[in-house]
Amino acid sequence: MDKTVLVVDDSVSMRQMVAFTLKEAGFEVIEAGDGKEAVAKLNDGAKPNLVIADLNMPNMDGITLIKEIRTMRAHKFTPILMLTTESAEAKKKEGQTAGATGWIVKPFNPDQLLQVINKVLPG
Amino acid sequence: MAIDLSRFQETFFEESSEHVETIETGLLQLEHRPEDLELLNQVFRAAHSIKGNSGMFGFTAVGELTHKMENVLDGLRNNEMEVTEQIIDLLLQALDGLKSLLEVARGSGTADEEAIKTIETKLLAYQNGTERERLEAGGPRAEVQDKGATPVAERPAVPARRLVTIMWVPLPELFQRGLDPGRIFQELASLGRIHTLTVNADRLPDLPAMDAEVCYLSWTVELETEKPLKEIDAVFDFVRDESELTIAEPSAPQPPASQEMGEDEHKRLGEILVEEGEITQAQLETSLSKQKRIGEILVEDHEVGPRKITKALEKQHRLDTVARAQRGETTSIRVGTDKIDKLINLVGELVITQSMMANLTQTFTMDQVPLLQERVLELERHSREMQERVMSIRMLPIRTAFRRFPRMVRDLAIKNGKQIQLVMSGEETQLDKTVIEAIIDPLTHLIRNSADHGIEPPEERVARGKPVQGTIKLDAFHEGGNIRITVEDDGQGLNWDKILAKAKQLGMVAEGEPLGKKEVWQLIFRPGFSTAEKVTDLSGRGVGMDVVKRNIESLGGTVGVQTREGQGTKFMIKLPLTLAIIEGMTVRIGREGYIVPLVSIIESVRPTKDMMKTIVGKGEVVSLRNMFVPVIRLYDLFAIEAEFTNPVQGVLVLVEAEGTKVALMVDELVGQQQVVIKSLEKNFQKVEGLAGATILGNGEVAFILDVPGLISLAKNGSSVLV
């Protein structure tokens, strides 16, 4: 069965790039433009095996989203990767405390992305 | 996996320009509302997004500049600095630099690297200023990394295959973070062979006290591997912070795993040689400088002559330019899916109606005429709706044209030492994309005039009892099938006497000629009027106003002015919503139909014999209310056979363009209707005096008259068909 990944980023180009990479690698992809949209999709019954979320988003940022996801029964243990920039060390910590599984530091290339996913997604 | 990211670049650029816009408007607003944290956050977020994404696409220069902007913005956000005019100024300058860098990244334009360097230094100075303050206040200090401290030669050699012992006591909330110990063991196994895996259950509480979601276990792994410790350590990247972790080699204690992670897989030969101490960096650079370009090598080898190379280089440059130009031409419009859905719906309706009619025609009897009429009516309704919907796709909010003005007004105000606020409304008013693009120049001109010349300097305003800050209002709204845009200022207004005096001096108005208010103000739009006044700036108005008017008229629009001395001036622009369809008057000449754009028509008259006169130097004219208007006999101009050759029998259509009135002689007026413009240039070639063609209801092709073109043709006295 194909694994499904929920990609949350307000930047369309980032989302396109991540989604494209994942689809090439055989994943199903659900996209959301911010935390709010992601929560709505999860509440609507989306069942991703992994969530990749940008931290810096309007309406609902990544940290809040991670906290929200962790309160959902179905997604208590779903791996969540956050997209950060190298300078956001404090944010990284904050994200981990909120319940993030890991992180990908921007800029990354498609191979690095897949490597990190491989790290957290149960085989 | 090799994935070409360039296909996402277009989106990146589109997105970045939106972010740039957000930053620009945000910064301008911040100047007035420095305490608005949400606004600051918005600006910060936009800068942050550009920074993060530019890295993804390898635009380092863009990333570096935005990074520095972001730091300053962060300082503002954390109250480490205050929002001052200087900071906003600097950030705006940085934004200009950013715009040029984005253009360069896009493959067009140039960036002033020197200027950008200077801006970056200034940004850094601000940032460091706060860093220093923070230090003085005893706050945390930014860590300084001395990268030169680790000599490259001391890099540990690749270890042989050995047994590495890993002890891992994970954090209890392991599972709540979506982490899976199993995954970690799998990854370890991929690095070598797991010799033993021991589970330590010491921390496991009694069953009643146990929380099923907490991880009480810890593990010891003996891994047989030849991989360096660094790689083993990397497996624990996401859990290291809160875990207890020891990774030990069997023999003597190893130096701690290097913190420098993520080296590039691909290294250049020179880099490796330097790292291995075979050569020094200086040696490498000297050798590299000896490298030659392919052209030079070919010339040296006498394969081709230097002139051929120069030619080829020129060609390369040309091709680049062409490619760039082509890239610029492919413009796209983002269309909401709801609009497309509605269109598809309509197409469905059309198909249904069409098949109903097809059905009807197959078994048609005369008693079904009412039914047929009903179907035709339906078809008409659907196609009209279809037309409107398709048109709406090309419609964009005028905001895209307005957004550049706040910045412009701010810059002009500073330059002129004035205080000006720009109030915009109706930014969401939609109109055709082409019209929006074409209206930018005239609007820029009008607003610039208002800011430069309309609004008085502060002292003068105070003396007149006006608020120190001048106001320019920019408004857009729909009215019928048109859009109206107004530019209004509360400045000094136009000076009646000066304009009239100037016009008389230029011979535009005869001494003692009675002129209405409107006519006097229209004088400023006359060609020649402005240029003659450039030096003295008549009440500050009239610089290139004729150009503004011409531009707007070429869009099928009109421009008017209202002014009160000492109180301000208001320019009113009226534009059609689209350029693809115009309101036209169908006229007949002989057996042919022509369309006269309705906007240019003033009135139509059937002259009496004594109204027609011939004036030396002006030719045939018609006398209308003390005005002599030149007559153009269209049948003459187009060399066709008309029904009437005597104006008294035909009709004179009075039209105006660029301030000149002429009377077009036709056989009769047929009626008014909307016509779709079909380009002649695209399908045939440009014909002087014709703006295009259209297909009439009866299937005939009719030409649309280009009034300004006709006027200049008539002036030159040549005919269309040579």
Side-chain angles (χ1 to χ4, degrees), chain B residues 163-166 193-198 220-224:
Chain B
L163 212 59
V164 178
T165 312
I166 304 152
R193 195 176 70 85
I194 293 183
H195 198 260
T196 57
L197 174 65
T198 322
T220 308
V221 184
E222 282 183 312
L223 181 68
E224 194 186 324

Side-chain angles (χ1 to χ4, degrees), chain B residues 8 40 62 107 147 476 491 574 647 674 722:
Chain B
F8 304 114
L40 196 50
V62 174
K147 279 193 177 155
K574 187 173 153 192
Q674 282 200 336
V722 250

Side-chain angles (χ1 to χ4, degrees), chain B residues 409-676:
Chain B
V409 169
R410 179 186 183 273
D411 289 351
L412 286 172
I414 291 177
K415 198 186 90 200
N416 291 321
K418 296 176 183 173
Q419 290 181 29
I420 308 173
Q421 62 162 336
L422 178 68
V423 180
M424 299 196 294
S425 47
E427 291 113 307
E428 295 307 314
T429 314
Q430 304 223 328
L431 75 162
D432 195 288
K433 190 168 182 269
T434 3
V435 184
I436 290 188
E437 278 159 11
I439 195 66
I440 292 174
D441 273 354
L443 279 182
T444 309
H445 214 105
L446 290 177
I447 294 172
R448 185 185 290 273
N449 264 351
S450 281
D452 273 349
H453 312 299
I455 305 276
E456 313 90 329
E459 324 76 73
E460 215 169 292
R461 288 185 68 88
V462 172
R464 285 187 182 174
K466 289 179 172 183
V468 183
Q469 189 179 48
T471 305
I472 300 175
K473 283 187 193 155
L474 185 58
D475 189 17
F477 54 95
H478 281 296
E479 198 186 72
N482 295 300
I483 182 169
R484 281 183 177 274
I485 304 170
T486 58
V487 180
E488 188 178 5
D489 67 55
D490 64 348
Q492 53 193 333
L494 299 177
N495 186 312
W496 170 284
D497 295 330
K498 275 198 201 162
I499 291 179
L500 212 52
K502 192 72 213 174
K504 280 178 185 159
Q505 185 194 326
L506 288 168
M508 286 175 178
V509 185
E511 200 70 47
E513 191 179 326
L515 278 175
K517 247 188 173 163
K518 249 181 147 176
E519 283 150 338
V520 172
W521 301 142
Q522 284 295 326
L523 285 172
I524 62 168
F525 293 115
R526 289 278 195 88
F529 189 84
S530 49
T531 39
E533 276 306 326
K534 238 178 204 161
V535 199
T536 48
D537 270 345
L538 179 107
S539 293
R541 299 285 182 189
V543 184
M545 279 300 175
D546 58 321
V547 182
V548 170
K549 188 171 175 165
R550 202 166 53 233
N551 281 347
I552 290 171
E553 280 176 351
S554 71
L555 292 171
T558 56
V559 56
V561 58
Q562 278 175 6
T563 181
R564 292 189 79 167
E565 203 177 341
Q567 292 185 25
T569 312
K570 182 178 182 179
F571 286 94
M572 293 148 303
I573 300 169
K574 187 173 153 192
L575 288 169
L577 284 178
T578 172
L579 297 180
I581 293 188
I582 59 161
E583 272 303 321
M585 172 67 77
T586 314
V587 298
R588 188 176 58 81
I589 308 169
R591 271 175 305 166
E592 291 183 37
Y594 288 86
I595 312 283
V596 186
L598 212 59
V599 280
S600 14
I601 300 183
I602 304 168
E603 61 180 320
S604 300
V605 289
R606 172 165 284 168
T608 56
K609 204 169 173 212
D610 49 331
M611 283 164 77
M612 302 304 300
K613 297 192 163 62
T614 305
I615 295 181
V616 181
K618 269 193 163 179
E620 193 178 16
V621 295
V622 56
S623 159
L624 269 176
R625 293 181 290 275
N626 293 331
M627 210 168 39
F628 292 109
V629 181
V631 173
I632 300 177
R633 293 176 181 241
L634 284 179
Y635 68 89
D636 237 5
L637 200 64
F638 292 129
I640 48 176
E641 200 136 315
E643 187 178 345
F644 306 115
T645 48
N646 186 348
V648 179
Q649 290 169 298
V651 177
L652 291 179
V653 182
L654 214 65
V655 293
E656 182 181 13
E658 291 166 26
T660 315
K661 292 189 181 79
V662 295
L664 304 174
M665 185 187 152
V666 302
D667 286 347
E668 89 178 304
L669 301 178
V670 181
Q672 186 182 327
Q673 69 180 107
Q674 282 200 336
V675 295
V676 179

Side-chain angles (χ1 to χ4, degrees), chain B residues 178-306:
Chain B
L179 288 158
D180 178 0
R183 193 72 209 105
I184 286 182
F185 299 133
Q186 272 178 29
E187 212 178 331
L188 282 177
S190 73
L191 296 177
R193 195 176 70 85
I194 293 183
H195 198 260
T196 57
L197 174 65
T198 322
V199 182
N200 183 345
D202 288 353
R203 292 196 300 173
L204 210 61
D206 293 337
L207 203 54
M210 199 164 88
D211 182 343
E213 288 177 8
V214 170
C215 178
Y216 299 103
L217 304 176
S218 56
W219 292 271
T220 308
V221 184
E222 282 183 312
L223 181 68
E224 194 186 324
T225 179
E226 70 269 24
K227 301 276 190 224
L229 290 187
K230 195 171 82 181
E231 259 181 64
I232 302 169
D233 191 62
V235 172
F236 295 91
D237 264 355
F238 294 154
V239 297
R240 192 184 308 109
D241 285 353
E242 285 105 338
S243 300
E244 282 174 46
L245 179 70
T246 45
I247 303 173
E249 301 254 18
S251 56
Q254 287 283 324
S258 165
Q259 287 301 303
E260 292 172 56
M261 310 290 276
E263 291 168 355
D264 290 337
E265 288 97 49
H266 178 79
K267 283 209 164 161
R268 283 156 189 267
L269 175 65
E271 286 172 348
I272 295 174
L273 287 172
V274 170
E275 271 176 23
E276 295 186 348
E278 300 290 341
I279 54 170
T280 66
Q281 186 69 29
Q283 279 172 329
L284 173 67
E285 269 157 28
T286 333
S287 303
L288 279 178
S289 67
K290 287 184 192 153
Q291 272 188 6
K292 285 182 183 159
R293 295 183 162 233
I294 181 70
E296 291 172 38
I297 298 170
L298 287 171
V299 172
E300 271 170 31
D301 292 351
H302 302 289
E303 297 287 349
V304 279

